Amino acid sequence: YKLLAASFASQLIIGIVRFAIEQKWGTIVFGKVSLTLSLSNMVITCIGAVSVVLFPMLKKMKEETLEELFLTMRTVLTVPVLAVLIFYTPMRWILELWLPQYHDSLHYLAVLFPICVYETRSVALIDTYLKAYRKEKLILFNSLVTVGISALLSWITVFLMGSLDAAVISIVLLMMFKNIFSEKMLLRSSLPVKVWKDNLLEVALTGIFILVNWKIGGITAMLLYTAAYIIYVLLKSKDIKREMKNLKKIARG
């Protein structure tokens, strides 16, 4: 029942913002934001299916193996998903050709697409680990805290500020908070691992993605983000090599 309640609460996190947008600006504006959220959720659903396979596998592992595998799985999930953001510009061009009437809606895709980075890791890795450690209470607690923050941010951005852009940005901030807070609770309760540097790099990289694609756009934005991603990979190169060796070692074992 805790996982069921957490699932409903997770839907409310974005649902509250969407409801506030509809109440303030009507169905047409709500539809613009809803389309981009649906596209992001489609990607998250596909990648999140990995957790169905991961959970029984993790449940059978020894605790020391779980600790060893966490950083490896985190790297395997995060680095490729951040690379997918490089293809945002050609993907947007294809969508504009396919759905020209939704040109204005796709403007918000630059902000909402990075949700995939954080929700993928939450669904496929962190929540799976919490379930393996029987920490369902932490999943529920994290979801409820984020719902409360969602209600507060919705009231501030929609009804006080009256800014649709701020409301959309708040959705990304909520997903970032939910992921980082959940990961911190997992590490504090079960895993002696530090990832704060990785979190800073990931937030910086997604921030660059949103900024260049919202303010510049086109090929220039894609090249700027690609350059930032290459710098990120270079900074993480030692970790990536170590985790790949560790993955091969675990696979052989």
Side-chain angles (χ1 to χ4, degrees), residues 8-21 23 142-161 166-167 170-171 173-175 177-178:
F8 285 134
S10 293
Q11 293 177 32
L12 280 174
I13 293 168
I14 296 178
I16 289 171
V17 183
R18 292 168 74 165
F19 177 76
I21 289 171
Q23 291 297 306
N142 180 44
S143 297
L144 292 175
V145 168
T146 313
V147 166
I149 297 172
S150 173
L152 179 62
L153 283 180
S154 298
W155 178 66
I156 293 171
T157 57
V158 176
F159 298 107
L160 282 186
M161 295 173 61
S170 74
I171 295 173
L173 295 177
L174 287 165
M175 293 299 103
F177 171 82
K178 179 175 177 286

Side-chain angles (χ1 to χ4, degrees), residues 45-57:
T45 302
C46 292
I47 301 175
V50 175
S51 63
V52 177
V53 180
L54 273 179
F55 177 66
M57 182 181 74

Side-chain angles (χ1 to χ4, degrees), residues 97-111:
L97 289 173
W98 183 31
L99 303 168
Q101 67 272 32
Y102 290 100
H103 174 79
D104 293 339
S105 303
L106 297 175
H107 169 70
Y108 295 106
L109 192 59
V111 180

